[in-house]
Amino acid sequence: MALLEIIDVHAYYGHIHALKGVSLTVDEGEIVTLIGANGAGKSTTLKTISGLLRPRHGAIRLAGEDLVACRPHDIVKKGVSQVPEGRQVFTRLTVQENLEVGAFTRSDPRAIAEDLEQVYTLFPRLKERRNQVAGTLSGGEQQMLAIGRALMARPRVLLLDEPSMGLAPVLVDAIFEVIERLHREGTTILLVEQNALKALQVADRGYVLQTGQVVLADTAEHLRLNEDVRRAYLGIT
């Protein structure tokens, strides 16, 4: 049984049918990526998993447990944590306060303190700026903070929405090195990323979304070699 299952999910924004029967799975320890054009439904899929958008039809299960009826904070408590598009850190809180907010569903102070130090080990720059207000950080530092905040929930599945958006190439490489490290350490990741080539380089498997539907699913290696994917999403002819 897959750790995360999305089965025939239909979701709407008002009368707009955004997801039209999306089905996908993520096994424990995998990186699975969603690729597609803007408006294909990638971020909407993550929002629906997180409970920010409730599907009108379909099932979403974590280790066999239904998530559709759960409120967003309960979904976090059950083990799904999202790094939102655009980072969305709490700009008036310090770095450390942002990280502590990430552990709001937990009540184990010793374990929280241990995880805080692990985040600082993963992102030494955040430790240097632990007392700095998050709104004064660079874009790359805010992305590190958003990932660290999500990790503070001790997620079973980490949802990453456009982690490289707006970052300089050197920072994009640094963020993907962190993603690969998390993968090596066993973190299960569902990744939405406009830089499809980067995403397919780190992922185990991928799904191609088009106008709210999965039109192709395969291993990341096969998707990288697929001529249609190369032309449409990788900029390779």
Side-chain angles (χ1 to χ4, degrees), residues 29-33 83 122-123 143-144 147-148 151 158-165 167 171-195 198-204:
E30 275 193 313
I31 296 181
V32 172
T33 187
V83 180
L122 187 64
F123 299 113
Q143 187 63 66
M144 295 174 192
I147 294 173
L151 291 174
L158 180 65
L159 309 180
L160 290 174
D161 196 354
E162 301 286 6
S164 76
M165 178 180 287
L167 301 184
L171 291 175
V172 171
D173 290 340
I175 291 298
F176 272 89
E177 286 173 8
V178 168
I179 293 171
E180 290 185 281
R181 177 174 172 178
L182 292 172
H183 185 213
R184 289 194 300 270
E185 294 173 354
T187 303
T188 303
I189 298 172
L190 181 57
L191 169 66
V192 164
E193 174 54 56
Q194 195 65 40
N195 188 333
K198 275 284 190 185
L200 292 172
Q201 286 172 343
V202 301
D204 298 294

Side-chain angles (χ1 to χ4, degrees), residues 35-36 47 52-53 77 88 97 107 118-119 124 138 149 151 153 164 175 178 184 192 198 216-217 225 229:
I35 62 174
K47 290 177 182 177
L52 300 174
L53 182 65
K77 191 178 293 187
Q88 297 184 31
E97 287 168 340
S107 58
Q118 288 181 1
V119 169
S138 70
R149 182 181 60 190
L151 291 174
S164 76
I175 291 298
V178 168
R184 289 194 300 270
V192 164
K198 275 284 190 185
L216 186 60
L225 298 174
V229 172

Side-chain angles (χ1 to χ4, degrees), residues 35-97:
I35 62 174
N38 288 335
K42 305 183 303 296
S43 293
T44 299
T45 299
L46 297 194
K47 290 177 182 177
T48 306
I49 295 167
S50 294
L52 300 174
L53 182 65
R54 183 158 293 185
R56 294 190 190 176
H57 178 81
I60 301 172
R61 300 187 185 121
L62 180 69
E65 183 178 1
D66 180 56
L67 298 182
V68 169
C70 297
R71 295 171 295 181
H73 66 273
D74 290 324
I75 292 173
V76 174
K77 191 178 293 187
K78 289 178 184 297
V80 178
S81 187
Q82 181 168 344
V83 180
E85 180 181 349
R87 301 176 277 278
Q88 297 184 31
V89 298
F90 297 103
T91 57
R92 296 185 181 183
L93 300 182
T94 66
V95 166
Q96 178 136 337
E97 287 168 340

